[in-house]
């Protein structure tokens, strides 16, 4: 091994170093975190609705995976904003409560 390859090898560790295992992210299934959501109205009418109203969606900022999840919120003029519980699809056991809605 030359000095340059020895320096490069030290960047990646040596074979005699034990592998460090990353801790698993574990979510307590009984834990319920609060999530905020905002209302978004679709740009096209709902073709399944006889009145052809615009759909309302709740875009939730997930407290587990830092992504956004989309939930149905009714139709324009008939918005359903009550509390609801949901699960994060990216984090098994990650349950959240949609309580605050920003318009």
């Amino acid at each position: 091994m030359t000095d340059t390859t020895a320096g490069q090898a030290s960047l990646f560790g040596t074979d005699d170093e034990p592998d460090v295992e990353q801790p698993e992210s574990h979510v307590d299934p009984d834990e319920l975190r609060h999530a905020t959501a905002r209302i978004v109205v679709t740009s096209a009418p709902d073709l399944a609705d006889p009145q052809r109203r615009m759909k309302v969606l709740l875009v939730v900022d997930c407290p587990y995976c830092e992504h956004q999840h989309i939930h149905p919120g009714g139709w324009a003029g008939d918005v359903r904003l009550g509390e609801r519980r949901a699960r994060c699809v990216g984090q098994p056991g990650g349950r959240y409560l949609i309580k605050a809605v920003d318009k």
Side-chain angles (χ1 to χ4, degrees):
M1 208 185 290
T2 65
D3 289 338
T4 56
T5 56
Q8 291 173 352
S10 66
L11 291 175
F12 301 104
T14 58
D15 290 338
D16 57 339
E17 293 178 8
D19 290 334
V20 178
E21 291 187 28
Q22 296 294 327
E24 287 186 31
S25 72
H26 175 70
V27 175
D28 182 6
D30 294 330
E31 181 181 11
L32 184 65
R33 295 183 185 175
H34 291 276
T36 57
R38 65 183 174 282
I39 297 173
V40 176
V41 180
T42 59
S43 61
D46 182 7
L47 299 177
D49 181 30
Q51 299 173 2
R52 302 288 193 253
R53 297 175 286 182
M54 302 291 189
K55 272 190 161 180
V56 174
L57 303 173
L58 298 177
V59 179
V60 179
D61 296 322
C62 182
Y64 291 99
C65 69
E66 298 178 7
H67 288 94
Q68 295 177 333
H69 301 291
I70 298 173
H71 297 273
W75 291 277
D78 185 24
V79 180
R80 299 181 315 232
L81 296 180
E83 276 188 9
R84 55 175 93 175
R85 295 169 191 245
R87 290 185 182 272
C88 174
V89 295
Q91 181 68 46
R95 298 180 322 135
Y96 57 88
L97 176 67
I98 305 169
K99 193 168 187 172
V101 177
D102 299 325
K103 294 183 181 184

